[in-house]
Structure formats: C-alpha cells, structure tokens
Amino acid sequence: MIRPSPELLAVSRRWYEILRTKKNTDELQDFLSKADELRFVGTGEGEYWSGQAVRDGVSGFFAEIPAPVVFEEVEAEAFENAETGWSSFVHKIRFVGFD
C-alpha cells in the first residue's frame, strides 16, 4: 500500500540542505541507493544519470555549482510502498550572477 513517508521526506530535505549550504557535498552519495535502478534527473540538457554514475558523480557535480542566493522549496512529497520509497521536490533556485 502506498502511503506518505514523513521519514523519507525529512531525509530528502537533509540532502537539499547540503546543496543549499554547500557543506560537505561528499556526504551526498551517502543518501543514495547502491542499486542499479538509481536515477538522477537534473534540469540541464543531458542531466540524466543512472546507477553507479550517480553515486560517482554527484559530489563533484554539486560542489561546482555556485552557492544559491534564493533556495525556496515550492513543493515536496515523499511516499513509501513496502521496501520502496521515493521523493519529489520542486525548488526555486537563483544563483549570484544568474538573474
């Protein structure tokens, strides 16, 4: 049975807090599954990674992005079903010099 997951929502928000504050992006991979089915969909062209490529690349990728001046959560939800869970977020983000 699919149901809301406040625990997964809290963990996902911790991920975004690391992105917002730019503190220790090496921790980001600790949040990710080791399963081959892991996916990351970004906002840029070609930002679709899968499996180990997500775990290998996520820290360096986010470390290079400038710190945001606006980081606003617009929508967030997380669900679980037995041993599976997922979250979805929409953020409004603006970076210095990218108005």
Side-chain angles (χ1 to χ4, degrees), residues 4-5 8-9 12-13 73 75-79 86-90:
S5 177
L8 185 53
L9 187 61
S12 297
R13 283 185 170 135
E73 183 179 290
E75 184 177 331
E77 57 187 5
F79 298 94
W86 61 95
S87 64
S88 174
F89 283 79
V90 176

Side-chain angles (χ1 to χ4, degrees), residues 17-95:
E17 183 62 14
I18 291 171
L19 296 181
R20 186 187 70 77
T21 61
K22 305 294 283 176
K23 292 182 182 172
N24 198 6
T25 58
D26 290 338
E27 287 183 28
L28 293 174
Q29 68 179 342
D30 296 340
F31 287 78
L32 302 174
S33 169
K34 294 181 181 177
D36 290 337
E37 295 79 16
L38 176 65
R39 299 293 184 266
F40 179 88
V41 180
T43 58
E45 187 173 327
E47 285 183 5
Y48 180 81
W49 306 336
S50 61
Q52 190 61 38
V54 179
R55 293 182 53 77
D56 291 344
V58 73
S59 177
F61 177 77
F62 285 111
E64 292 181 14
I65 294 174
V69 292
V70 173
F71 198 99
E72 175 186 333
E73 183 179 290
V74 176
E75 184 177 331
E77 57 187 5
F79 298 94
E80 58 186 71
N81 183 18
E83 295 180 12
T84 303
W86 61 95
S87 64
S88 174
F89 283 79
V90 176
H91 283 91
K92 178 181 177 181
I93 302 173
R94 185 167 40 106
F95 302 101

